[in-house]
Amino acid sequence: AQKVTQAQTEISVVEKEDVTLDCVYETRDTTYYLFWYKQPPSGELVFLIRRNSFDEQNEISGRYSWNFQKSTSSFNFTITASQVVDSAVYFCALRDDNYGQNFVFGPGTRLSVLP
Amino acid sequence: DTAVSQTPKYLVTQMGNDKSIKCEQNLGHDTMYWYKQDSKKFLKIMFSYNNKELIINETVPNRFSPKSPDKAHLNLHINSLELGDSAVYFCASSQTLGGASGNTIYFGEGSWLTVV
């Protein structure tokens, strides 16, 4: 069965600190996709990144970086030099081929960046 | 141009009423969804349509009925609204195969439903 776990319910950091959001997933499929979404206080869900199961290269985009490790079924997200605008709920999600077009979301991690 | 648009954004209604939320996507995607986000922020799929055909129907009360007149539209109708239906409802779409955005789900801005 598909499952996504985000063990950190809430994290608070002070501006300019680095912070890592953890994501652990479960799937029986060999082909799957992993995602991160950001939900700022305004409520919309913003797509950040997609990774497929065949591509374990880490990715960096500005202050954001993602570490995908199949050996530990993890897809962690690091924000470097955090800013107040990074305050949001972050969701990790999984899609595999076992359950049609379903995207399964983790429970989310609420990140608060304090000035 | 908004890729996935849903209306209304805010809806306050009394228990027992019937209401609809409309959704349209202009991304050319073949799959559309309704997700429900509760007060604890959990996102749970309700329905999924692929080319107007229902492919996912989670354990949702019969009072919720999706309708997809074409692959660019997926509306949600709710009968006999209850207090527990208060939530944010997100419409979304994805393209199953290929393309730069393939297999990525894109969300509308959400519809905040409050039942009083």
Side-chain angles (χ1 to χ4, degrees), chain A residues 72-83:
Chain A
T72 54
S73 296
S74 65
F75 186 42
N76 296 338
F77 173 27
T78 297
I79 302 175
T80 304
S82 59
Q83 300 176 1

Side-chain angles (χ1 to χ4, degrees), chain B residues 78-99:
Chain B
I78 315 170
N79 288 328
S80 304
L81 279 156
E82 300 177 356
L83 292 176
D85 297 332
S86 296
V88 184
Y89 293 86
F90 284 97
C91 178
S93 72
S94 72
Q95 181 63 30
T96 24
L97 296 171

Side-chain angles (χ1 to χ4, degrees), chain A residues 2 33 35 94-105, chain B residues 30-33 35 45 47-51 53-56 93-97 102-105:
Chain A
Q2 300 168 310
Y33 301 85
F35 307 82
L94 163 71
R95 178 191 173 277
D96 63 26
D97 288 334
N98 277 332
Y99 192 30
Q101 312 302 328
N102 189 16
F103 291 73
V104 174
F105 285 79
Chain B
D30 59 5
T31 305
M32 295 186 72
Y33 311 77
Y35 277 81
I45 192 164
F47 303 103
S48 172
Y49 272 73
N50 179 263
N51 283 316
E53 185 180 337
L54 180 66
I55 56 171
I56 295 175
S93 72
S94 72
Q95 181 63 30
T96 24
L97 296 171
N103 294 305
T104 299
I105 188 169

